[in-house]
Amino acid sequence: MAELGLNEHHQNEVINYMRFARSKRGLRLKTVDSCFQDLKDSRLVEETFTMDEVSEVLSGLQAVVHSEVESELINTAYTNVLLLRQLFSQAEKWYLKLQTDISELENRELLEQVAEFEKAEFASSNKKPIIDITKPKLVPINEGGTTELLNKEILRLQQENEKLKSRLKTIEIQAVNALDEKSKLERVLQDLQLDQGNQQDFIKAQDLDDLESTVAALRSEFQKTLNDKTENQKSLEENLAAAKHDLLRVQEQLSMAEKELEKKFQQTAAYRNMKEILTKKNDQIKDLRKRLAKYESED
């Protein structure tokens, strides 16, 4: 399948936009077709036409089609602006500045690559739409890259947390299965003990010892298995708690990093110049007030 060089999430977003564009394009083509059909039904009712009549019909059709095509092109441009606005708004929230290369929009090779991608994605009419309700956040960048590293660590801890939850769920299922096996073994043991009581006179002492040894071995093996699974579950719970503590610590470090970034901004030359200008303005206002009060007292 054709690829655009994007990760899975962004490629799904592109597919959703292409599905939207295909729908709008199909509706506009139907509108153009209806223009021609309306012309056939309303004007082409006579067998012969003069040159002036044909020119008038074509001029009217040209005006209608021109209006429809212009409207669609304008709407497409505005739609693309809204899409860019969404991306830029997300970037500005994280103090990012995105750049675009307009020349790449007319790159024939890339356009053909997008066309191949569209054909591959929409070849099957029964393909289910991709629904993605998550709203991603762009990664912030600061001078030292500390925030980005912290976010990566948070993401890693979250993924590890999910893995631990999955393993814990598996252990719980295994523990339930082990309890079921224990119940079955206890029922078998009870049946054996009952048979032992009923057939005690017919069983030799050696056979009875072998049976008791077998039951004891089964009990010991089951108890060992149950203890191992219990220890594994406790270990997983401890790892999960440690991961949560690490996550809280990383979040606290992230908050401290953001405060440090704000502190650095206050120490910049622009901030100091602005503060100096405000101080001068305040002094001028105080001086004017004193002069005004002096003039009022003289009156």
Side-chain angles (χ1 to χ4, degrees):
M1 184 181 66
E3 297 290 343
L4 296 180
L6 303 174
N7 61 31
E8 181 179 1
H9 173 78
H10 289 160
Q11 185 159 301
N12 290 338
E13 291 293 327
V14 171
I15 293 173
N16 288 335
Y17 177 76
M18 294 180 70
R19 183 177 291 108
F20 166 77
R22 282 169 62 91
S23 175
K24 298 291 290 184
R25 185 171 63 213
L27 291 175
R28 190 56 62 184
L29 289 176
K30 289 181 180 179
T31 303
V32 174
D33 292 339
S34 66
C35 293
F36 283 87
Q37 188 63 40
D38 291 343
L39 176 64
K40 292 178 182 180
D41 296 338
S42 61
R43 300 296 302 273
L44 301 183
V45 295
E46 301 179 4
E47 294 182 357
T48 59
F49 293 89
T50 65
M51 183 179 296
D52 293 337
E53 289 174 340
V54 173
S55 178
E56 180 185 356
V57 170
L58 292 178
S59 297
L61 179 60
Q62 179 186 7
V64 174
V65 174
H66 181 275
S67 176
E68 290 294 337
V69 174
E70 182 183 22
S71 176
E72 177 59 19
L73 292 175
I74 293 175
N75 184 67
T76 300
Y78 291 167
T79 301
N80 291 333
V81 170
L82 291 179
L83 183 62
L84 290 173
R85 179 178 177 272
Q86 292 181 16
L87 298 177
F88 293 154
S89 296
Q90 291 186 38
E92 289 176 1
K93 289 181 180 179
W94 294 93
Y95 307 101
L96 298 178
K97 293 182 179 180
L98 304 183
Q99 294 181 346
T100 58
D101 189 354
I102 303 300
S103 62
E104 290 294 326
L105 300 180
E106 297 182 351
N107 188 321
R108 179 56 55 184
E109 182 180 353
L110 293 179
L111 292 174
E112 291 177 355
Q113 183 179 354
V114 174
E116 291 296 328
F117 177 78
E118 182 180 16
K119 290 179 182 178
E121 287 296 329
F122 298 96
S124 175
S125 59
N126 296 325
K127 186 172 183 180
K128 296 182 179 180
I130 300 174
I131 300 176
D132 187 8
I133 60 175
T134 60
K135 292 184 178 180
K137 294 182 179 179
L138 301 180
V139 179
I141 299 178
N142 58 13
E143 295 179 359
T146 305
T147 305
E148 182 179 1
L149 293 176
L150 291 176
N151 284 334
K152 288 182 179 179
E153 180 66 16
I154 291 173
L155 179 60
R156 185 189 67 80
L157 291 175
Q158 290 176 342
Q159 293 175 349
E160 184 177 354
N161 189 13
E162 292 298 328
K163 291 180 181 179
L164 291 175
K165 288 181 179 179
S166 177
R167 291 177 59 186
L168 180 60
K169 185 176 181 179
T170 302
I171 293 298
E172 290 176 350
I173 294 174
Q174 293 177 352
V176 172
N177 293 334
L179 291 175
D180 292 339
E181 292 178 1
K182 178 182 178 181
S183 300
K184 292 179 181 179
L185 290 175
E186 288 179 347
R187 288 196 295 269
V188 171
L189 179 60
Q190 291 176 359
D191 294 339
L192 291 175
Q193 290 175 348
L194 181 60
D195 292 339
Q196 178 185 354
N198 294 332
Q199 300 178 3
Q200 186 174 6
D201 296 335
F202 303 97
I203 299 176
K204 295 181 180 180
Q206 185 176 359
D207 295 337
L208 182 59
D209 293 338
D210 293 339
L211 180 61
E212 290 178 350
S213 300
T214 301
V215 172
L218 289 174
R219 279 183 173 178
S220 177
E221 183 178 357
F222 173 74
Q223 188 64 34
K224 181 180 178 181
T225 302
L226 186 60
N227 291 337
D228 292 340
K229 292 181 178 179
T230 302
E231 292 178 359
N232 290 335
Q233 182 176 354
K234 290 181 179 179
S235 177
L236 288 175
E237 290 176 351
E238 292 175 355
N239 292 336
L240 180 60
K244 290 181 178 179
H245 290 313
D246 292 339
L247 178 59
L248 293 175
R249 186 179 67 255
V250 170
Q251 290 176 344
E252 183 179 357
Q253 293 175 356
L254 176 60
S255 177
M256 294 176 63
E258 291 176 349
K259 292 180 179 178
E260 183 65 22
L261 179 62
E262 183 179 358
K263 182 178 179 182
K264 288 182 178 180
F265 172 74
Q266 292 180 357
Q267 295 175 356
T268 59
Y271 180 81
R272 291 195 300 270
N273 292 338
M274 182 62 69
K275 186 174 181 181
E276 183 178 352
I277 292 172
L278 291 176
T279 302
K280 291 180 179 180
K281 291 295 182 181
N282 290 332
D283 294 338
Q284 291 177 0
I285 292 173
K286 291 179 180 179
D287 184 59
L288 290 174
R289 287 179 176 174
K290 291 179 180 179
R291 293 181 181 180
L292 182 60
K294 180 180 180 180
Y295 291 144
E296 290 179 349
S297 61
E298 291 177 356
D299 292 341

